[in-house]
Amino acid sequence: MAPDDATARRSWQVWGLSASVVVTDPGQADAAARLAQGMLDAVDLACSRFRADSELAVRRGDLVHGAAVSPLLATLMVSALAAARWTGGAVDPTLGGDLISLGYDADFASLPGPARNDGARPAGLLAAGPSSTGLWSAGRPQAHAPQPSALLSGAPQPHEPRAPGWTRIALDGRCLTVPADVTVDLGATAKAVAADMAAARIAVELGCGVLVNLGGDIATAGPAPDGPDGHWQVLVQDTPGDPAQQVSLPAGRALATSSTSKRRWQQAGALRHHILDPRFGLPADAVWRSASVAAPTALEANAYSTAAIVKGHVAAAWLRDSSVSARLVDQGGRVLTTAGWPAPELAGAGFHG
């Protein structure tokens, strides 16, 4: 195990979730946190649907006819549309109106809901440091299985899926066109892009290795604690009652966890969760408690983990066919892995290929 002072960590709350940065140069921890928060502030000002002064809100009328947007907003929209393409529309940035109708019309921290620890302990919590080999010893799922969540959509799903909304958005360079009846919610993809951009900026400006964790979206840049070819040690666990697994994440790679057990709220007696099935505009069936994906960027990891929740029973086959390294936890606490994700008995073996 590396000495305790080999890395330093700073944690805080933002957007109703937990954020943290870990750096390989302890003397740069405060500066890294400031740089990360600066990136989060910029992303929030560009695209938040919860603030009237965000660029996306202020320019909404102009966007109906097409208008030039800032480079940052253009990047965030490019990323959201890419996620939609990768997932066959399972991740759709045009679900803002559906989320509002379901009661997600304010920052999550202010929504009514059951007792929860959403954001208090994010999936992908960084362990203390690497072992001497850069690998953890084998981990085991917890013996007990969590009880199925009583997640309700509140209404039966329509028999006929609706047309995909993301295909109605046009982006030509920085010229963005959004139809008047479409409410954009960049949600998860913007959070993932913020993690990727913050990690890259910290590594370049501070000259150290860094891991950025935004509510389970993890991006790394620069060298790991045990060197440029080393690994970050990450505990993958959604809630304290879920199966846990420690894995090795190579330097420069990313990991994201999407969950139906967190970010839930009450509306008219129904318990909602935030991952919607774009075909119907309703919370996706909670086949999986969580889906974790390792990928080159947090954006890709987030897109595939979110899509896995939406795709439900066919997610495992889809992930395998897409050669995506994933870990799915079902409502009985059983773990299923795909395409290179280490099996529970091989936890710590890292990702290969």
Side-chain angles (χ1 to χ4, degrees):
M1 186 72 75
D4 291 341
D5 60 355
T7 61
R9 173 178 180 153
R10 296 292 183 269
S11 301
W12 66 100
Q13 293 289 310
V14 64
W15 301 343
L17 51 84
S18 293
S20 62
V21 295
V22 184
V23 291
T24 57
D25 181 351
Q28 300 283 18
D30 290 334
R34 287 193 296 271
L35 287 173
Q37 185 58 58
M39 182 59 66
L40 296 179
D41 290 342
V43 168
D44 192 54
L45 185 59
C47 70
S48 175
R49 68 179 176 89
F50 302 127
R51 50 188 297 176
D53 64 340
S54 73
E55 181 181 359
L56 194 58
V58 170
R59 303 296 305 282
R60 180 167 182 172
D62 300 333
L63 298 178
V64 173
H65 307 289
V69 297
S70 68
L72 178 55
L73 181 54
T75 296
L76 295 170
M77 188 59 69
V78 165
S79 300
L81 295 176
R85 289 194 303 274
W86 298 334
T87 62
V91 179
D92 192 317
T94 66
L95 302 179
D98 297 304
L99 288 166
I100 292 170
S101 69
L102 291 168
Y104 196 170
D105 54 1
D107 188 85
F108 183 77
S110 66
L111 297 182
R116 58 186 182 240
N117 65 348
D118 300 62
R121 189 174 189 271
L125 180 66
L126 183 76
S131 66
S132 58
T133 61
L135 306 175
W136 277 99
S137 59
R140 295 288 189 274
Q142 296 183 0
H144 64 284
Q147 296 299 311
S149 300
L151 296 176
L152 306 175
S153 67
Q157 292 184 341
H159 294 296
E160 294 296 328
R162 24 182 230 196
W166 68 276
T167 59
R168 301 177 59 204
I169 292 179
L171 183 63
D172 183 6
R174 287 171 48 195
C175 182
L176 176 63
T177 305
V178 179
D181 61 334
V182 168
T183 300
V184 170
D185 180 87
L186 298 185
T189 58
K191 176 164 63 77
V193 172
D196 285 328
M197 295 177 72
R201 182 176 180 184
I202 290 167
V204 170
E205 294 197 15
L206 302 184
C208 62
V210 59
L211 180 149
V212 176
N213 184 348
L214 301 180
D217 284 358
I218 292 176
T220 68
D226 53 351
D229 298 322
H231 296 74
W232 291 92
Q233 303 307 314
V234 178
L235 175 64
V236 181
Q237 184 181 33
D238 187 31
T239 70
D242 285 322
Q245 185 179 16
Q246 290 170 332
V247 298
S248 294
L249 186 66
R253 300 281 288 187
L255 188 151
T257 294
S258 296
S259 170
T260 60
S261 301
K262 293 182 175 181
R263 299 186 82 78
R264 298 182 292 171
W265 67 96
Q266 292 277 1
Q267 185 200 38
L271 187 58
R272 313 291 196 183
H273 71 77
H274 71 294
I275 300 178
L276 304 190
D277 186 333
R279 297 172 301 170
F280 310 112
L282 295 171
D285 290 340
V287 174
W288 307 107
R289 289 182 61 84
S290 65
S292 300
V293 167
T297 66
L299 173 63
E300 294 171 72
N302 179 283
Y304 283 101
S305 64
T306 302
I309 297 291
V310 173
K311 290 179 180 291
H313 293 290
V314 303
W318 174 70
L319 291 165
R320 291 191 185 103
D321 290 344
S322 303
S323 299
V324 173
S325 295
R327 177 182 187 264
L328 306 175
V329 180
D330 72 11
Q331 291 296 343
R334 293 175 290 271
V335 176
L336 184 153
T337 62
T338 71
W341 188 287
E345 63 271 16
L346 299 176
F351 302 101
H352 306 284

